[in-house]
Amino acid sequence: MGNFIFQVIILSAIIVLLFYKIGIFLSFLFGYSIFVAWITIILSSLLTASFITVPLILILKFILRIRVRKEFQSDTQIRHDLSYLISEQRIHQKRGSSNTYFEWGDIFKAYEHKKMFRLYVSRNKAILLPKRFFNTNKAIELLKYGP
């Protein structure tokens, strides 16, 4: 997603540069003042960039939604109940008949949000722990600060 935003910004900058060159050409060709040329350049650049950027973002969201839906439908493991047992030594993940253990040293990034924790065990794989799954505030404090 971040790469897409960067590409949109680059595309918008190219459009602004293109309209800048067109505006300078028109100001010399028709004798416009440089102020009128700049106003024309800025307004037309912003409008053009908006007409390109907004549909691209909407299309990207639509494609992403379809990909997520297909991934969910194709992965049978996602549909199994998932439970976690958190201890001082590790996090035990149980899904169906499989068990996975994550040592605390395996977690290299952790983020706390208003409603959940994200614990990264690899660059693209995270354990998501909603705060509503914890029985008490003390359990949340134990996860945040340890025993």
Side-chain angles (χ1 to χ4, degrees):
M1 183 68 157
N3 193 20
F4 174 74
I5 300 289
F6 180 72
Q7 290 172 348
V8 168
I9 290 170
I10 295 297
L11 182 61
S12 298
I14 291 171
I15 291 169
V16 169
L17 183 62
L18 176 67
F19 275 96
Y20 168 75
K21 297 294 184 184
I22 291 171
I24 295 297
F25 175 72
L26 291 176
S27 69
F28 287 122
L29 188 63
F30 297 111
Y32 290 146
S33 72
I34 210 68
F35 177 74
V36 172
W38 272 104
I39 296 296
T40 305
I41 294 165
I42 292 169
L43 289 177
S44 59
S45 299
L46 290 174
L47 284 172
T48 305
S50 297
F51 284 125
I52 291 172
T53 304
V54 171
L56 283 177
I57 289 173
L58 292 174
I59 289 168
L60 178 70
K61 282 186 169 188
F62 180 73
I63 291 171
L64 184 62
R65 185 170 288 159
I66 289 172
R67 288 184 66 193
V68 167
R69 185 178 297 133
K70 284 182 179 180
E71 179 65 26
F72 180 77
Q73 290 170 348
S74 70
D75 189 351
T76 58
Q77 287 294 317
I78 292 176
R79 294 188 215 132
H80 289 288
D81 285 338
L82 182 64
S83 64
Y84 290 98
L85 179 62
I86 300 172
S87 68
E88 290 180 23
Q89 292 80 27
R90 64 181 153 246
I91 298 174
H92 173 207
Q93 179 187 57
K94 182 168 174 48
R95 181 182 302 185
S97 61
S98 69
N99 293 301
T100 307
Y101 296 93
F102 299 100
E103 302 294 325
W104 286 109
D106 296 340
I107 297 170
F108 72 95
K109 281 187 193 175
Y111 297 100
E112 179 182 5
H113 300 281
K114 184 177 178 180
K115 296 184 178 186
M116 73 170 178
F117 293 100
R118 273 187 306 155
L119 308 174
Y120 281 90
V121 293
S122 74
R123 207 173 122 225
N124 296 315
K125 185 177 180 182
I127 300 170
L128 304 177
L129 298 171
K131 289 183 178 178
R132 70 177 187 273
F133 289 176
F134 292 87
N135 295 332
T136 64
N137 284 339
K138 186 177 180 183
I140 292 174
E141 295 298 317
L142 280 171
L143 178 66
K144 286 168 53 172
Y145 304 113

